[in-house]
């Protein structure tokens, strides 16, 4: 006779073998007489029968352990069989347990709902004892088969684990040797890669140096040629008054161009040697921008480029060097004028953003290629580095801008949508005393 537990599981059952746990059957019905009837039908089956009088008690039984099959009455008070089945499926002990619903009447809707919850079968009440017994025995055989497969799998895994340990131990020296060889090979590859990078950097620096020296000699010689040419003509004393005025204007313009080139070279030298210093004071941002616009306006008019100031109400002061900050804006405007075609436009904006002052110089010029944009502030770097390029200069102006802005604890950013789409430079400066004293 099968041992029956109601409510305590395992009462009267002989201890099961450790290697083959005794399967258990859970009978859930609110009527004691039906539970007894089902127990009598299953008498003699090699399994432990556990009884539960409600859905709540069934859940508690599942918490105690796994079952081979569950016979579940559909029509129970408080928690019916379908609700109980849904909750049982949520627990790992009953997630895959076969559930058979016992019901006097099962319509299509109820059947579909039950199968959706993982119910494996329905048995009509009143039950046919041989049918119940046969179905339960089938699921018990399935449970035993699964348990045997699990034990066999566990034994196989143990053997595999033991064999794996043996293989690992026997291959330990081989792996160590392979690892050592791989480490040596990786170190060699890293050294070769580092050498290639350093050689490439050296070649790039050498190319930039040669390019810069050629550009510098060209940029210095061009205004000198103009100056000496006009001086030679002036010495002949054969020029009329208008031509003499033009000669003097040309000499002055080229001398100023040389002065700017030399000043840029000196600034870069100070930056490299860390000797550039700031004369700090409280500065009005509007005066910086207006002064820079006034300085660059003649060059813009000469090229027929329109500078449009858009200056917001900025009353806060910046702690910084007025001359150096004006140099920043002048360099940005000079760069914009240089790369903007006649008839173009340069917008100069001044505004507040949180606790920072923003100065923006945006032009409608030739723009910047995406691949060059990350290098736009590098020293001696220009998109067109050839001597025959359309625009002059040593490629130092934006590098000086970047360094001077950093000395004022600020940031500068370059934006462009590509060639022919213009460029936009945004300088952001903090309000307050956070300013570096030197490079």
């Amino acid at each position: 006779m099968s041992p029956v537990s109601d409510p305590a599981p395992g009462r009267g059952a002989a201890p099961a073998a450790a290697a083959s746990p005794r399967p258990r059957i859970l009978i859930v019905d609110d009527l004691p007489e039906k539970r007894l009837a089902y127990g009598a039908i299953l008498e003699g089956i090699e399994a432990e029968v556990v009884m539960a009088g409600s859905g709540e008690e069934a859940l508690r039984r599942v918490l105690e352990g796994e079952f081979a099959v569950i016979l579940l009455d559909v029509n129970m008070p408080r928690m019916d069989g379908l609700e109980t089945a849904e909750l049982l499926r949520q627990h790992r002990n009953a997630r895959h347990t076969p559930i058979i619903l016992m019901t006097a009447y099962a319509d299509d809707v109820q059947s579909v709902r039950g199968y959706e919850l993982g119910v494996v079968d329905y048995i009509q009440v009143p039950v046919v004892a041989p049918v119940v017994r046969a179905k339960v025995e089938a699921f018990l055989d399935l449970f035993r088969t699964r348990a045997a497969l699990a034990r066999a799998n566990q034994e196989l895994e143990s053997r595999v684990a033991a064999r794996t340990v043996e293989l690992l131990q026997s291959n330990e020296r081989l792996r160590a040797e392979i690892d050592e060889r791989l480490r040596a090979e990786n170190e060699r590859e890293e050294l070769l890669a580092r050498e290639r990078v350093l050689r490439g950097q050296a070649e790039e620096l050498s190319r930039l140096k040669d390019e810069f020296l050629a550009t510098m000699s060209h940029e210095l010689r061009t205004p000198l040629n103009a100056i000496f040419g006009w001086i030679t003509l002036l010495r002949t004393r054969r020029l009329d008054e208008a031509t003499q005025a033009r000669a003097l204007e040309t000499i002055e313009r080229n001398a100023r161009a040389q002065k700017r080139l030399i000043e840029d070279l000196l600034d870069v030298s100070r930056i490299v040697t860390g000797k550039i210093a700031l004369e700090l004071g409280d500065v009005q941002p509007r005066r910086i921008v207006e002064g820079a616009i006034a300085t660059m306006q003649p060059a813009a008019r000469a090229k027929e480029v329109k500078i449009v100031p858009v200056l917001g109400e900025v009353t806060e002061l910046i702690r910084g060097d007025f001359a150096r900050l004006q140099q920043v804006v002048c360099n940005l405007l000079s760069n914009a004028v240089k790369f903007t075609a006649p008839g173009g436009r340069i917008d100069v904006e001044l505004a507040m953003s949180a606790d920072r002052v923003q100065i923006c110089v945006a032009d409608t010029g030739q723009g910047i290629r995406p691949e060059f944009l990350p290098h736009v502030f590098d020293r001696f770097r220009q998109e067109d580095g050839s001597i025959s390029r359309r625009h002059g200069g040593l490629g130092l102006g934006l590098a000086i801008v970047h360094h001077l802005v950093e000395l004022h604890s600020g940031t500068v950013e370059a934006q462009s949508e590509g060639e022919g789409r213009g460029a936009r430079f945004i300088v952001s400066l903090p309000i307050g005393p956070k300013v570096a004293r030197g490079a």
Side-chain angles (χ1 to χ4, degrees):
M1 178 176 179
S2 301
V4 178
S5 298
D6 188 4
R11 187 172 58 199
S20 178
R22 190 178 181 84
R24 301 198 304 161
I25 304 168
L26 178 61
I27 298 176
V28 187
D29 200 302
D30 62 306
L31 298 178
E33 59 271 21
K34 291 176 68 176
R35 297 199 298 273
L36 289 174
Y38 296 149
I41 292 172
L42 300 177
E43 185 176 0
I45 287 182
E46 289 298 323
E48 177 186 353
V49 179
V50 179
M51 302 291 187
S54 65
E56 294 87 345
E57 188 178 358
L59 294 173
R60 289 197 297 273
R61 294 285 175 260
V62 167
L63 291 175
E64 297 169 357
E66 189 179 5
F67 289 91
V69 62
I70 299 174
L71 303 181
L72 179 59
D73 183 34
V74 174
N75 298 313
M76 293 188 296
R78 296 193 304 275
M79 185 187 298
D80 64 19
L82 292 175
E83 186 178 357
T84 303
E86 183 176 6
L87 293 174
L88 287 172
R89 284 293 184 237
Q90 297 176 15
H91 195 277
R92 61 182 180 86
N93 284 346
R95 191 162 295 144
H96 305 292
T97 303
I99 298 176
I100 301 175
L101 290 182
M102 318 291 284
T103 180
Y105 173 76
D107 57 18
D108 291 340
V109 175
Q110 187 185 81
S111 299
V112 170
R113 176 62 178 152
Y115 289 129
E116 287 176 348
L117 295 172
V119 171
V120 297
D121 203 356
Y122 276 85
I123 295 181
Q124 292 284 345
V125 178
V127 300
V128 179
V131 173
V132 174
R133 189 179 181 92
K135 291 186 176 183
V136 169
E137 286 182 336
F139 286 116
L140 287 175
D141 288 342
L142 179 61
F143 179 83
R144 293 187 187 100
T145 301
R146 282 167 40 199
L149 287 173
R151 290 194 301 274
N153 184 61
Q154 184 177 4
E155 183 180 352
L156 180 60
E157 287 181 353
S158 298
R159 291 180 179 178
V160 170
R163 182 58 178 162
T164 301
V165 171
E166 292 176 4
L167 290 173
L168 289 174
Q169 291 174 346
S170 63
N171 292 334
E172 185 175 352
R173 285 193 300 272
L174 178 60
R175 181 183 292 112
E177 183 179 347
I178 292 173
D179 289 344
E180 182 63 30
R181 290 183 180 180
L182 287 175
R183 187 162 45 251
E185 184 66 21
N186 289 337
E187 289 178 356
R188 176 177 171 275
E189 290 296 328
E190 289 176 3
L191 289 172
L192 289 175
R194 193 177 305 128
E195 189 272 337
R196 284 193 295 268
V197 170
L198 291 174
R199 189 189 321 115
Q201 291 176 346
E203 290 173 354
E204 176 68 7
L205 288 173
S206 177
R207 184 189 66 79
L208 289 175
K209 181 195 69 173
D210 294 342
E211 186 177 281
F212 172 72
L213 290 174
T215 302
M216 183 176 66
S217 63
H218 173 78
E219 292 294 328
L220 291 174
R221 186 171 59 248
T222 299
L224 282 175
N225 289 339
I227 291 171
F228 281 118
W230 281 108
I231 288 175
T232 302
L233 291 175
L234 286 172
R235 282 178 172 172
T236 64
R237 302 182 184 276
R238 297 176 183 177
L239 303 179
D240 56 31
E241 187 174 343
T243 306
Q244 287 183 17
R246 179 187 169 198
L248 293 174
E249 180 185 350
T250 303
I251 291 171
E252 181 181 4
R253 184 174 67 251
N254 282 277
R256 290 183 182 278
Q258 278 223 334
K259 180 174 179 289
R260 283 196 302 271
L261 290 174
I262 293 170
E263 286 175 347
D264 284 349
L265 287 170
L266 291 175
D267 279 341
V268 169
S269 174
R270 295 187 190 102
I271 289 171
V272 172
T273 58
K275 294 181 179 179
I276 193 167
L278 303 179
E279 297 180 7
L280 301 178
D282 292 332
V283 180
Q284 291 182 347
R286 192 182 188 93
R287 285 187 55 215
I288 296 171
V289 177
E290 289 175 343
I293 292 175
T295 300
M296 296 306 303
Q297 197 68 260
R301 287 199 196 99
K303 199 175 178 183
E304 299 179 3
V305 174
K306 185 177 182 181
I307 297 179
V308 180
V310 184
L311 308 183
E313 291 296 327
V314 178
T315 58
E316 287 79 359
L317 299 178
I318 296 174
R319 185 71 176 168
D321 186 321
F322 180 87
R324 289 299 187 179
L325 289 174
Q326 192 171 85
Q327 181 183 0
V328 166
V329 182
C330 283
N331 282 9
L332 293 177
L333 285 172
S334 174
N335 187 74
V337 170
K338 181 191 301 183
F339 293 103
T340 301
R345 170 181 172 136
I346 301 171
D347 291 326
V348 184
E349 301 175 9
L350 174 66
M352 286 293 302
S353 176
D355 59 346
R356 302 178 77 85
V357 172
Q358 281 195 348
I359 302 170
C360 175
V361 178
D363 62 63
T364 59
Q366 72 177 43
I368 305 170
R369 295 198 309 269
E371 60 270 22
F372 185 75
L373 201 56
H375 307 289
V376 74
F377 294 109
D378 293 352
R379 291 194 297 270
F380 313 128
R381 291 291 289 266
Q382 299 185 88
E383 279 194 275
D384 181 6
S386 63
I387 296 178
S388 60
R389 66 195 189 283
R390 289 161 47 200
H391 307 288
L394 298 177
L396 300 177
L398 292 180
I400 294 171
V401 165
H402 185 265
H403 190 76
L404 290 178
V405 170
E406 282 191 339
L407 282 180
H408 285 82
S409 301
T411 61
V412 59
E413 177 187 4
Q415 300 174 351
S416 179
E417 296 181 4
E419 286 188 285
R421 307 295 297 274
R424 181 182 180 90
F425 291 84
I426 303 171
V427 175
S428 179
L429 298 169
I431 297 170
K434 290 185 178 180
V435 177
R437 294 280 172 179

